[in-house]
Structure formats: structure tokens, C-alpha cells
């Protein structure tokens, strides 16, 4: 169903090889029959699979399908990982990320430590980007948004790496590594 690119962080590739991810995307039912691709569903299913495989790192993925197609409204769905067990520093980075991407209630939940009643994944419909008549312009705009999303995850990834590093140092110091 056309060319695509998947940008993903090491939380995905800690538990899946490149070829396995490629095969997952290529064989995903959302790409069947050459119909309009639901990249969001591909990402959701990929992230769930990585969590099921035991990924303990930040899992972030962004799927971009290249080619012509009808304009679609954009949406974001927050799939919360096991942030409750993370250090306060990492939790604050998650809260910042949630706020920056339109998930204010979830950020408040995290900061307060309380569970929202009936919490379910929330879907946010951000404003539609300016429409463009050319495929090239749309593709460049998509790539730009993808790169912005990838950059915004660096703070969370850095906090996780710092936590892992300090845990290893502590284990080495106590002789339990």
C-alpha cells in the first residue's frame, strides 16, 4: 500500500529487530487491500506488542504513509505505560510531555498521584494543519511534524537513561550487579 517510514525509539528496538518491525508493519491488517492506511492503529498495536514483550524503556513510534490520499483529521491517543513505578524525576517528564501534547487531565493525575475515575485513553483532536494542494508539500509537512514529535520525546528518554545509569552505579557500588 505504498511507501512508509516508521520512526521509533529504542524502547521498540530493545524487544524487536528491524526486520520484525518491518514485517509487523507490512503485514498489519490496517494496510490490507491498498485502502487508506490507519497509521495510528499500526502504532497502537506496535506499542502494545512491545509492552507485551516486556519493554521497560520509553516506547514511542510515529508512522508516516507517503502518497496521495484524502485529508484526514488528526488525533492523538494517550496509551499510558507503567509510569506509576517510575522515579519522581521521570514522572515529572511524563507529566510535562502529557501537558505539551494536550493531555492535561492525565498530567494532573500524575502530579497528584490520584487515579481519574473511569480513566480511559483520551483522544485529542488538534487543529487541522493548513491544507496544501501538492503531495510534496503535504509530505514535507508530515515529515516536519514527525521530527518535532521525535524531538519532544528526548527529555523522557534522557530521564530514563539517567535513571538506568544511576541504578547501575548504585548496584555496582553495593556489589549486587
Amino acid at each position: 500500500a505504498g511507501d512508509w517510514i516508521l520512526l521509533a525509539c529504542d524502547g521498540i528496538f530493545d524487544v524487536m529487530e528491524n526486520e520484525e518491525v518491518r514485517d509487523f508493519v507490512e503485514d498489519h491488517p490496517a494496510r490490507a487491500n491498498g485502502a487508506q492506511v490507519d497509521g495510528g492503529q499500526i502504532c497502537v498495536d506496535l506499542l502494545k506488542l512491545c509492552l507485551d514483550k516486556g519493554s521497560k524503556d520509553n516506547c514511542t513510534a510515529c508512522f508516516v504513509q507517503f502518497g496521495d490520499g484524502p485529508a484526514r483529521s488528526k488525533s492523538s491517543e494517550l496509551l499510558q505505560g507503567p509510569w506509576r513505578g517510575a522515579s519522581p524525576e521521570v514522572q515529572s517528564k511524563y507529566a510535562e510531555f502529557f501537558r505539551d501534547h494536550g493531555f492535561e487531565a492525565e498530567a494532573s493525575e500524575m502530579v497528584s498521584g490520584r487515579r481519574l475515575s473511569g480513566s480511559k485513553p483520551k483522544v485529542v483532536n488538534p487543529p487541522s494543519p493548513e491544507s496544501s494542494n501538492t503531495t510534496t508539500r503535504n509530505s514535507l509537512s508530515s515529515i516536519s511534524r514527525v521530527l518535532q514529535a521525535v524531538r519532544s520525546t528526548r527529555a523522557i528518554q534522557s530521564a530514563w537513561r539517567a535513571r538506568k545509569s544511576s541504578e547501575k552505579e548504585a548496584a555496582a557500588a553495593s556489589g549486587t550487579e
Side-chain angles (χ1 to χ4, degrees):
D3 294 330
W4 55 270
I5 186 171
L6 180 81
L7 300 176
C9 69
D10 60 340
I12 304 296
F13 296 104
D14 284 348
V15 295
M16 294 181 78
E17 296 294 326
N18 291 338
E19 295 78 12
E20 189 178 3
V21 172
R22 181 202 59 220
D23 293 344
F24 177 87
V25 172
E26 285 292 328
D27 297 338
H28 195 280
R31 291 180 41 86
N33 304 325
Q36 179 69 27
V37 174
D38 185 354
Q41 190 60 52
I42 291 172
C43 286
V44 166
D45 293 345
L46 178 65
L47 297 174
K48 286 180 179 178
L49 176 62
C50 290
L51 292 173
D52 289 345
K53 287 180 169 246
S55 181
K56 302 293 183 206
D57 204 344
N58 174 34
C59 291
T60 304
C62 182
F63 179 85
V64 179
Q65 177 73 44
F66 296 102
D68 295 332
R72 297 179 62 182
S73 64
K74 307 291 183 220
S75 66
S76 300
E77 181 178 353
L78 177 64
L79 299 175
Q80 296 184 35
W83 59 262
R84 285 178 179 80
S87 71
E89 177 187 2
V90 171
Q91 285 186 10
S92 71
K93 294 295 183 181
Y94 269 101
E96 181 182 321
F97 180 85
F98 290 177
R99 264 190 220 93
D100 290 347
H101 291 85
F103 297 98
E104 186 62 43
E106 289 80 356
S108 297
E109 171 191 354
M110 182 175 294
V111 170
S112 70
R114 63 182 168 76
R115 178 87 175 144
L116 294 175
S117 60
S119 284
K120 291 185 179 174
K122 173 183 172 185
V123 176
V124 175
N125 292 315
S128 297
E130 291 180 16
S131 61
S132 171
N133 294 331
T134 66
T135 301
T136 302
R137 187 173 179 130
N138 285 340
S139 294
L140 291 175
S141 177
S142 294
I143 291 170
S144 175
R145 286 192 303 271
V146 166
L147 293 174
Q148 288 171 350
V150 169
R151 272 187 247 128
S152 69
T153 63
R154 286 189 179 168
I156 291 174
Q157 291 172 346
S158 294
W160 274 106
R161 284 187 192 104
R163 179 178 179 211
K164 283 183 180 180
S165 177
S166 64
E167 287 174 353
K168 284 183 181 179
E169 288 172 8
S174 67
T176 61
E177 185 171 43

